[in-house]
Amino acid sequence: MALLGLLVAVGLVAPQEQAPFVVVSGARHASGALPMAAFGLGDGGLSDAGARLALAPGDVLSPGGIRVRARAEGVKLDFPSGAELLVTPSLRLCLRDGAQSLPVLGRLVLALADGSLLELEPDGGGRRPLRRATLVHGNVRQVFWPPQQAVLVEAGMRRDGDARTTAARTDAYLVLGDGRCVYRAVAFGPLLGLRAVLLPRDEQRLPPARIVVAGDVLAASLQRLPAHVPPHPVQFPQAPEAAQRLATLANVLFAPGMVERSARARGPLVLALPREWRLRCDLGQDPGFATLGLYRADATVPAVEWTINRARTELRLVRPFGGENGSPRYFLRGLDLTDEVRALWPGRPGPEDLRWLDQTLAHLGGRGQAR
């Protein structure tokens, strides 16, 4: 097998003018996770027929039909789509057309679209063969490199649902497109930034970045709003009726499917929802803060806002005049969405990832100061 055939000239991923911004609804798994297939970035090169887990020294087959072979010169992935991907001993991702990523510091984890995780551990220096290569699927761990240590280990049963929904819930690179597109995920509340670390040179359909809003989490929080509002508030008498209307509209505003902002759009970062409602994203004036505002028709004040920072996401009911003349902007305390967000995608992004996310949102039209 000529694994070295993929190690060709260096190619950089050329950035496009603008990254898309989308809201995805109706795709969340019962576990609360959003599967990779919902991102609209391809199926990861899988086979519809599926395959049985198979293991041989230096050679493993994933349930989605992805063959992974390890040799001293690297690890090669062959996808049912015909796509190929190589990982060098220095943990650099390479394609036949010359495109390649920067090497990864430490362990590399690739999340495959069939729910498997490919874990690669370097042996130091970037020149020697890998120390270990493991394929993880559900409760099964398959060590297939080095050949003399090949073993299949079945651990206790998982408690977090279908493995297809859990692969993206790690600090992993996501393998999408036809198998040749690799993205880094940056989670920030109900937002997930997807940053391309590898794209084929001829790829014209998939963007170098995408910001995904989990519409199911937004809808579920609106449905919880009536129970959060007292029945007879003095300061905001209309609050119970407003909360009930929003709860009723939740599944209409965030109906199953994807709503995308055109890559050619300019100005405020707004998505058009059904019945003339709008969802608008703004960066805060302070670092580490953003809001998603839900607006009706041409209203200048949102009905509600989801406030997002690094530690917490809350749904806030906005007063009719939105805090004009120094009055409070919000009514009541915020409705905490920490558990829902944690189920979507765990982990905390690093400072560099957050800077990238802020720059991307600011470029798209989010106002305020980037973190």
Side-chain angles (χ1 to χ4, degrees):
M1 177 181 59
L3 287 178
L4 289 176
L6 287 180
L7 294 175
V8 290
V10 175
L12 299 178
V13 178
Q16 296 182 9
E17 182 180 359
Q18 190 170 7
F21 184 81
V22 303
V23 59
V24 174
S25 305
R28 190 171 55 160
H29 187 262
S31 67
L34 196 62
M36 291 166 56
F39 301 154
L41 296 173
D43 64 1
L46 298 183
S47 168
D48 292 335
R52 295 185 62 184
L53 287 166
L55 172 69
D59 196 338
V60 68
L61 184 68
S62 81
I66 303 169
R67 187 178 184 186
V68 187
R69 289 174 282 180
R71 300 293 185 270
E73 60 266 34
V75 176
K76 185 169 182 282
L77 289 80
D78 292 284
F79 297 85
S81 64
E84 299 171 301
L85 177 66
L86 178 74
V87 186
T88 71
S90 64
L91 303 185
R92 188 187 295 270
L93 303 168
C94 302
L95 299 178
R96 282 197 178 277
D97 64 5
Q100 62 180 321
S101 70
L102 293 173
V104 174
L105 299 177
R107 187 181 69 157
L108 171 66
V109 181
L110 294 176
L112 308 178
D114 63 4
S116 302
L117 295 173
L118 177 60
E119 301 176 351
L120 303 176
E121 302 175 31
D123 203 4
R127 296 180 180 272
R128 291 179 291 178
L130 295 171
R131 176 184 296 123
R132 185 177 292 107
T134 307
L135 186 75
V136 182
H137 189 89
N139 60 317
V140 177
R141 295 181 62 86
Q142 303 176 85
V143 178
F144 62 100
W145 181 267
Q148 62 271 23
Q149 296 182 13
V151 64
L152 186 149
V153 178
E154 186 167 348
M157 294 300 294
R158 301 179 66 100
R159 297 181 180 180
D160 51 1
D162 186 354
R164 283 180 179 267
T165 71
T166 61
R169 302 175 61 215
T170 66
D171 184 17
Y173 284 179
L174 312 186
V175 180
L176 294 164
D178 62 359
R180 298 176 299 160
C181 304
V182 182
Y183 286 82
R184 180 173 177 82
V186 180
F188 186 58
L191 306 177
L192 184 71
L194 295 162
R195 178 184 188 181
V197 297
L198 183 71
L199 289 176
R201 291 185 173 186
D202 61 355
E203 178 58 64
Q204 300 296 324
R205 299 175 299 106
L206 299 186
R210 168 161 284 179
I211 309 298
V212 176
V213 182
D216 291 330
V217 168
L218 306 189
S221 67
L222 291 176
Q223 291 169 340
R224 292 172 53 194
L225 197 56
H228 182 67
V229 176
H232 303 292
V234 176
Q235 295 181 339
F236 188 3
Q238 303 89 353
E241 182 182 1
Q244 187 58 57
R245 287 185 178 182
L246 289 169
T248 302
L249 280 171
N251 289 333
V252 175
L253 300 179
F254 299 102
M258 178 182 291
V259 177
E260 183 172 359
R261 182 178 187 254
S262 170
R264 297 186 178 90
R266 296 296 184 269
L269 186 48
V270 176
L271 287 167
L273 300 178
R275 300 193 182 180
E276 299 185 347
W277 285 80
R278 298 173 290 133
L279 185 68
R280 173 168 173 157
C281 180
D282 288 294
L283 293 176
Q285 296 298 324
D286 298 322
F289 186 83
T291 62
L292 290 171
L294 184 63
Y295 293 79
R296 183 174 182 177
D298 295 327
T300 58
V301 176
V304 294
E305 282 183 343
W306 291 268
T307 58
I308 308 165
N309 59 43
R310 300 181 191 185
R312 191 179 178 93
T313 298
E314 294 181 329
L315 173 63
R316 310 296 297 267
L317 190 61
V318 181
R319 293 173 182 266
F321 297 100
E324 290 183 359
N325 302 319
S327 61
R329 179 171 181 80
Y330 300 122
F331 178 67
L332 299 176
R333 69 187 188 282
L335 184 60
D336 185 14
L337 307 182
T338 300
D339 290 342
E340 291 89 337
V341 167
R342 185 177 295 140
L344 279 172
W345 29 67
R348 285 175 170 264
E352 181 181 350
D353 288 328
L354 284 175
R355 281 194 294 270
W356 169 82
L357 183 61
D358 278 345
Q359 291 168 1
T360 302
L361 288 170
H363 177 68
L364 283 168
R367 299 182 302 176
Q369 176 184 336
R371 286 182 288 282

